[in-house]
Amino acid sequence: MEWISGVAGALLLAVVLSSILRTLVVPRGLYSGLVFRLWWTLRRLLRLTSPRGGYENIDRAQTWLAPLMLIGMLASWLGGALLAFGLLLYAVSPLSWSNAFREAGSSMFTLGFASGNRLKLSVLDFVAAATGPVVIALQIAYLPTLYAAYNRRELEVTLLQSRAGEPSWGPEILARQWLVDTETALPELYRSWERLASDMGESHSTYPILLTFRSPRAHRSWLVGLIAVMDAAAMQLALAPRSAPPEARLVLRAGFSALRDIARALRIPFDADPRPDAALQLTLVEFDAAAAMLEAAGFRSERTVEEAWPQFRGWRINYETIAYELCRRCDAVPALWTGPRDFAASPVPPRRPADRRPGEGRPELPPAKG
């Protein structure tokens, strides 16, 4: 019995320490089964608190996922370490089960009430005494990094709201620029999101818990915003290749590279070299409706919809599958062109403010639903 207890304790301690190092220390997107199982469990438990299943209820419930994940990770690591040291102490000493776990808890949390002059337990006691404070200190040092990345992300998401509406949608970005004659600002938008995409690819693959941090408002989402910017760039390149800025190509490359980095960290399968003529979940009918809306907004196409569709499909095939899967797992706002969700929801078009300019002005163009 003591031999089995010792082996089980050593294996459990190795699992806990590996999870801590993978999550908090190693600067690379390494998979931690303990953390992702915790994410899977908490996400589904929170879903049970919103039985009606509408997006507003889902968003309200999932707001608690990030803080519960942080608390749950710390509790899991400390609880796992306590169990591991308890098993090890039982294996190497004549202590009973209750006294072994009492000794482990006393050492881990530096309480000292179970200490004694048993020399052969000193090594395990010292290791346990170091484990508790070190894990807590690493978790505390982890928080500023998370919130710094979160603030960088949400700043750009908030700035995107005036360009793309809430929730963001790629064709809406283009339509709004031509409606208010600010299309020359698109290169700067693409440059900002190229940098942000690279930032998110690094931070969200290294610290996947950032995926559970939701935006302050229900209809904002970093993931939906990134898809919208990439769709806008892809549409502009497909419909007007000669006038499209080179930044459009760069933001597309940075965007789908970031999504692939995150997919690797989450072990989401994807085709690294998809065929440009492969089928999309987005349909030609939806693309045609969006192109018609852009034409009504003043966008000048250089290609017909039939000519542009293969070009658009060739760009979107690089990121659609990953984007849809991440939107599903993150319970993102069900915006247009972002795929299905695990809950019943119709696609939500962006809200566009009414045209209040004096005179006839331009007609308000509601986005097409699809």
Side-chain angles (χ1 to χ4, degrees):
M1 187 64 181
E2 288 79 5
W3 180 84
I4 296 175
S5 174
V7 172
L11 290 176
L12 180 58
L13 185 61
V15 169
V16 171
L17 294 178
S18 174
S19 177
I20 294 170
L21 293 174
R22 287 169 175 267
T23 305
L24 302 181
V25 180
V26 179
R28 177 175 291 187
L30 299 179
Y31 184 87
S32 171
L34 188 152
V35 172
F36 284 101
R37 286 178 177 82
L38 180 65
W39 182 1
W40 186 91
T41 302
L42 289 175
R43 176 172 171 250
R44 279 155 180 76
L45 288 176
L46 288 171
R47 286 284 302 277
L48 296 177
T49 66
S50 52
R52 295 182 181 179
Y55 172 68
E56 299 292 340
N57 292 330
I58 294 293
D59 177 73
R60 193 177 301 112
Q62 295 298 325
T63 300
W64 293 96
L65 180 58
L68 288 176
M69 278 286 297
L70 291 171
I71 295 172
M73 287 191 307
L74 182 61
S76 298
W77 289 329
L78 292 176
L82 175 62
L83 178 58
F85 283 118
L87 291 171
L88 289 171
L89 286 169
Y90 176 79
V92 301
S93 73
L95 296 175
S96 64
W97 283 107
S98 59
N99 285 334
F101 284 103
R102 183 168 175 264
E103 178 90 15
S106 171
S107 299
M108 274 190 61
F109 301 107
T110 64
L111 301 175
F113 60 82
S115 60
N117 58 359
R118 299 179 296 272
L119 182 60
K120 67 178 182 178
L121 298 184
S122 295
V123 174
L124 279 177
D125 284 336
F126 287 147
V127 173
T131 300
V134 167
V135 171
I136 295 171
L138 286 174
Q139 179 86 329
I140 293 172
Y142 182 57
L143 295 179
T145 302
L146 294 181
Y147 283 102
Y150 174 80
N151 289 336
R152 290 194 304 271
R153 185 187 82 185
E154 294 305 317
L155 173 62
E156 293 296 337
V157 174
T158 302
L159 289 173
L160 185 65
Q161 184 271 336
S162 63
R163 299 171 183 254
E166 288 185 4
S168 302
W169 183 42
E172 180 74 4
I173 295 177
L174 298 178
R176 288 198 182 198
Q177 308 319 302
W178 265 264
L179 281 171
V180 296
D181 301 319
T182 57
E183 61 269 19
T184 55
L186 281 171
E188 180 60 33
L189 174 69
Y190 293 150
R191 280 193 293 269
S192 297
W193 277 81
E194 177 194 0
R195 183 174 294 275
L196 180 63
S198 299
D199 186 341
M200 292 191 298
E202 185 278 327
S203 60
H204 288 55
S205 59
T206 303
Y207 306 113
I209 192 176
L210 282 167
L211 298 170
T212 67
F213 280 70
R214 304 183 74 83
S215 293
R217 295 185 58 169
H219 285 163
R220 291 181 190 169
S221 166
W222 68 272
L223 184 54
V224 170
L226 179 59
I227 296 169
V229 172
M230 295 171 71
D231 283 341
M235 284 199 75
Q236 192 172 9
L237 287 167
L239 290 168
R242 288 190 295 274
S243 59
E247 289 84 356
R249 293 178 180 271
L250 297 176
V251 75
L252 277 165
R253 181 68 188 184
F256 70 71
S257 295
L259 291 177
R260 290 178 178 186
D261 288 342
I262 296 171
R264 291 187 187 97
L266 301 184
R267 295 187 177 179
I268 297 174
F270 64 89
D271 186 354
D273 187 21
R275 291 177 55 86
D277 58 350
L280 290 179
Q281 295 186 52
L282 187 73
T283 65
L284 175 58
V285 173
E286 293 173 291
F287 181 76
D288 190 9
M293 185 200 71
L294 290 181
E295 183 179 356
F299 181 89
R300 294 184 178 181
S301 297
E302 299 166 6
R303 288 173 172 156
T304 65
V305 170
E306 290 72 19
E307 293 171 337
W309 171 248
Q311 305 299 321
F312 178 78
R313 182 178 59 193
W315 282 112
R316 202 172 204 261
I317 197 64
N318 289 289
Y319 60 88
E320 185 187 73
T321 301
I322 299 174
Y324 281 14
E325 178 63 16
L326 287 175
C327 283
R328 185 190 68 81
R329 292 193 186 192
C330 295
D331 296 311
V333 52
L336 299 174
W337 293 15
T338 60
R341 301 292 186 273
D342 288 340
F343 51 89
S346 300
V348 181
R351 302 184 184 94
R352 184 182 296 172
D355 190 342
R356 301 299 185 190
R357 290 176 293 181
E360 293 184 3
R362 298 179 182 176
E364 185 181 356
L365 300 170
K369 295 183 178 181

